[in-house]
Amino acid sequence: MRLGPALPDGGFVLAESRSTIDGQHVQVFDALGRSSWTFRMGDAIEHRIADEAGDLWVGHFDEGVCGDPLSHPGLRRWSSTGEPLWSFRPGPGLIDMSDCVALNVDGLTAWACPYMHYPLIEVCGDGTVHVRPTSVRGVRGLAISR
């Protein structure tokens, strides 16, 4: 299990990157270290980060996107209790996300960069998506600042 992310209330999340269809591989702890919730976010977690509301943004790598219905969108937002709140859907200027290679959060806004053409995707707290084409290749991370 890998530690992270920290939650705004002082709690934290532990999660295995890999998961089976019937396995609950995410565990949420409160600020005192007591287990609060367990649930499943899908297979092949590459990134997970909490926004300022405590929601969990999760980016998946290709093995999950291609093999697990929960991971298929490539990028999802979950409540810290395991409720799915938002998932990526292709739209104008977007193709399927085969691998979320970079993810970061600023406030309530998530920023992601998917493999293969590496557009910069901004997902606002209300679920509105903005896409910015880039000429960058081989992205490893995103530094975000208001």
Side-chain angles (χ1 to χ4, degrees):
M1 289 201 146
R2 292 179 10 195
L3 178 61
L7 299 173
D9 65 1
F12 60 95
V13 178
L14 287 176
E16 292 277 355
S17 294
R18 303 308 304 261
S19 160
T20 60
I21 296 294
D22 58 352
Q24 295 195 358
H25 64 125
V26 178
Q27 194 166 6
V28 179
F29 295 86
D30 68 16
L32 298 175
R34 298 176 298 212
S35 181
S36 303
W37 304 97
T38 59
F39 54 94
R40 184 171 182 276
M41 287 182 169
D43 188 30
I45 294 175
E46 185 153 3
H47 308 282
R48 51 187 197 293
I49 188 167
D51 64 22
E52 68 183 23
D55 292 334
L56 306 170
W57 290 87
V58 178
H60 297 273
F61 58 90
D62 58 351
E63 290 178 32
V65 171
C66 296
D68 185 322
L70 283 179
S71 306
H72 180 72
L75 177 64
R76 295 189 77 150
R77 184 172 92 208
W78 297 81
S79 74
S80 62
T81 61
E83 179 185 350
L85 301 174
W86 180 88
S87 61
F88 175 81
R89 289 188 183 97
L94 293 173
I95 57 173
D96 282 334
M97 187 177 301
S98 61
D99 191 324
C100 182
V101 297
L103 175 63
N104 207 337
V105 173
D106 181 31
L108 297 176
T109 301
W111 298 83
C113 196
Y115 179 80
M116 165 170 342
H117 301 290
Y118 303 102
L120 182 60
I121 298 174
E122 173 189 13
V123 184
C124 301
D126 65 1
T128 304
V129 177
H130 303 281
V131 180
R132 294 171 178 84
T134 72
S135 59
V136 177
R137 297 292 178 254
V139 174
R140 296 255 182 195
L142 296 170
I144 303 298
S145 174
R146 293 178 196 202

